[in-house]
Amino acid sequence: MYILNSILAQDIVNRTMKIIPFNVNVMDASGTILASGDPSRIGELHTGALLALAKRLTVEIDAATAKNMHGAKPGVNLPLTVNGKLCGAIGLSGAPQQVRQFGELVRLTAEMILEQATLIRELQRDSRYREALVLNLIKADPAARTELEAWGLRLGVNFQRTQVLTLLQLDAGPLQADLALSEIQRLQAAIQARQPAALTATLGPREMVVLDAYDVPAGKRGEPAPARRQLQALESILREEGSAPFRLTMGIGLPGVDSVAISYQSAQTTARVGLQRHPERRILSYYELALPVLLGELGRGWQAQQLRQPMLKLQAQDKGMTLRRTLDVWFAHDGHPAATAAALQIHRNTLDYRLRRIGELSGLDLARTEDRILLFVASLLQT
């Protein structure tokens, strides 16, 4: 049942007294006056309201009746209900024959205000639950899996569908922390309004995440079209609603409760790798940088040190970074000589010389597939 408070009651009084020329009182479910056009009456027990609440009917009190009731005044009193539940009463002061015609209008206005307030409260509570769910999902706590599944079920989240998380980061530019947080919250509200099926959560003054789901056609590989469309839709909202520069990064899409944490981690790594490799890019997807993202977590330990050795040898002799740039462009063009030479604006013979030199310095034979893969991995780890 909605609990009528004094602030909401006073709002009802103010709004209804603008449309009728009589005093209005609003009482809670116990008959106590919460708000009134006559402030001196606030806190009093309203006799007419008690009768209206007890009978759940409109009660009229004329001057003669009022004399026989302690503290009563002439008027019309009507019960207030929200979603079929009694929550208080509203009273109009004056002779019943004068105020009667306004009674139903005032009651309907008051109940409309109460229903709107109830809906807003429910939406806010639902929004908080949805945000709390996302924050718990990205923590990756296996012990909480069953609870999270039940929680998601109550909020209509189907974990059998592919879950994908997108990370929004505002640039650490001119906006101070408090203004950045305000901007993040405004963008969060805009996304919730335009994509009600998505779940959102604020991570800090400059970061938030958006969790959505889609269905993947059987046998589909690579970046699913629904994921790309979702990323484009988010980008469109942010460009229309946002005022600050941002970076938007989509993680891997996977089904299951545990997949949300994985998608979040992959989005974080993609954002970091993307900033290193493509600092000019504002929109990134895990599927565009899958290999460097996956290798990004292998950057520690003795294995990583061994994998880096070919590039360390090369860079020790490549003072101007000419060979490194040649290698990067060669890999970017899948080892095609003509395309690589054109991109570098050099002759094919010059490219052949540089590739031989890369092989000599790294100690690898670029004609061997295994050595090419090893050099590619080394270049990714040494970015």
Side-chain angles (χ1 to χ4, degrees):
M1 181 176 69
Y2 189 87
I3 300 176
L4 187 59
N5 59 43
S6 58
I7 295 175
L8 190 55
Q10 191 60 53
D11 184 41
I12 293 172
V13 168
N14 295 341
R15 291 168 69 174
T16 54
M17 288 186 66
K18 287 180 179 180
I19 58 177
I20 65 169
F22 299 99
N23 182 57
V24 174
N25 301 305
V26 176
M27 285 66 67
D28 62 15
S30 65
T32 301
I33 299 176
L34 295 176
S36 173
D38 178 5
S40 66
R41 298 199 63 188
I42 294 175
E44 293 181 0
L45 197 62
H46 196 288
T47 309
L50 288 173
L51 291 172
L53 289 165
K55 296 181 178 181
R56 291 178 174 259
L57 294 171
T58 299
V59 172
E60 296 185 355
I61 299 176
D62 56 22
T65 305
K67 292 180 180 179
N68 299 318
M69 299 174 65
H70 178 69
K73 294 185 178 182
V76 175
N77 303 281
L78 306 93
L80 296 175
T81 59
V82 175
N83 299 324
K85 296 182 178 180
L86 193 66
C87 65
I90 191 163
L92 287 72
S93 301
Q97 63 270 23
Q98 293 180 320
V99 300
R100 184 183 298 126
Q101 60 180 319
F102 300 107
E104 194 63 23
L105 172 63
V106 171
R107 183 181 67 82
L108 289 173
T109 301
E111 289 183 346
M112 181 184 69
I113 294 171
L114 289 172
E115 288 171 359
Q116 184 180 43
T118 301
L119 178 60
I120 291 172
R121 187 185 69 163
E122 290 175 351
L123 289 175
Q124 290 174 338
R125 181 179 61 186
D126 182 64
S127 178
R128 289 195 297 270
Y129 285 159
R130 289 158 68 90
E131 182 163 30
L133 173 62
V134 175
L135 293 174
N136 279 276
L137 284 169
I138 65 178
K139 287 181 181 177
D141 182 5
R145 184 183 297 115
T146 302
E147 180 183 351
L148 291 174
E149 285 179 339
W151 191 348
L153 183 63
R154 289 195 298 271
L155 294 176
V157 180
N158 182 0
F159 289 113
Q160 293 182 347
R161 302 182 70 202
T162 298
Q163 308 292 319
V164 63
L165 188 138
T166 304
L167 175 65
L168 167 63
Q169 299 169 305
L170 296 184
D171 280 7
L175 287 181
Q176 296 181 351
D178 56 341
L179 296 178
L181 178 58
S182 178
E183 176 70 359
I184 279 285
Q185 291 172 337
R186 191 178 66 79
L187 292 173
Q188 184 179 15
I191 292 169
Q192 288 175 339
R194 295 176 60 172
Q195 294 191 340
L199 278 67
T200 62
T202 299
L203 303 183
R206 298 182 187 276
E207 283 191 347
M208 68 170 287
V209 291
V210 181
L211 178 63
D212 212 336
Y214 58 85
D215 298 310
V216 180
K220 178 68 177 179
R221 297 178 62 84
E223 182 180 38
R228 170 54 57 179
R229 286 195 294 270
Q230 287 181 8
L231 188 58
Q232 291 171 343
L234 277 176
E235 178 188 5
S236 177
I237 293 172
L238 294 171
R239 292 198 184 281
E240 291 175 19
E241 303 283 351
S243 58
F246 64 88
R247 297 179 68 86
L248 197 61
T249 310
M250 175 175 280
I252 188 173
L254 296 168
V257 175
D258 298 332
S259 68
V260 178
I262 297 172
S263 187
Y264 172 58
Q265 292 162 10
S266 67
Q268 283 185 308
T269 307
T270 301
R272 186 175 67 252
V273 172
L275 187 60
Q276 294 173 342
R277 297 173 64 86
H278 305 290
E280 76 289 351
R281 295 275 301 278
R282 293 288 172 175
I283 313 299
L284 290 166
S285 167
Y286 159 82
Y287 296 94
E288 300 174 88
L289 297 167
L291 186 56
V293 168
L294 293 172
L295 291 173
E297 299 305 316
L298 302 178
R300 296 177 294 275
W302 70 268
Q303 296 95 333
Q305 289 298 321
Q306 291 304 307
L307 287 171
R308 287 192 178 97
Q309 286 305 310
M311 285 304 301
L312 292 174
K313 293 177 182 177
L314 174 62
Q315 290 177 349
Q317 301 296 322
D318 185 24
K319 302 303 181 183
M321 297 294 287
T322 301
L323 298 181
R324 175 59 198 264
R325 170 163 166 71
T326 300
L327 185 62
D328 289 341
V329 175
W330 187 61
F331 282 138
H333 289 83
D334 299 317
H336 294 302
T340 303
L344 291 168
Q345 297 182 330
I346 60 176
H347 194 274
R348 278 282 302 275
N349 291 340
T350 303
L351 174 62
D352 291 341
Y353 166 76
R354 290 183 184 178
L355 292 175
R356 286 196 301 272
R357 187 63 177 153
I358 288 170
E360 292 169 1
L361 295 177
S362 65
L364 298 174
D365 182 358
L366 300 189
R368 296 181 68 241
T369 300
E370 185 175 324
D371 282 9
R372 286 200 302 273
I373 293 174
L374 181 56
L375 190 57
F376 180 58
V377 172
S379 71
L380 293 177
L381 291 178
Q382 200 61 21
T383 298

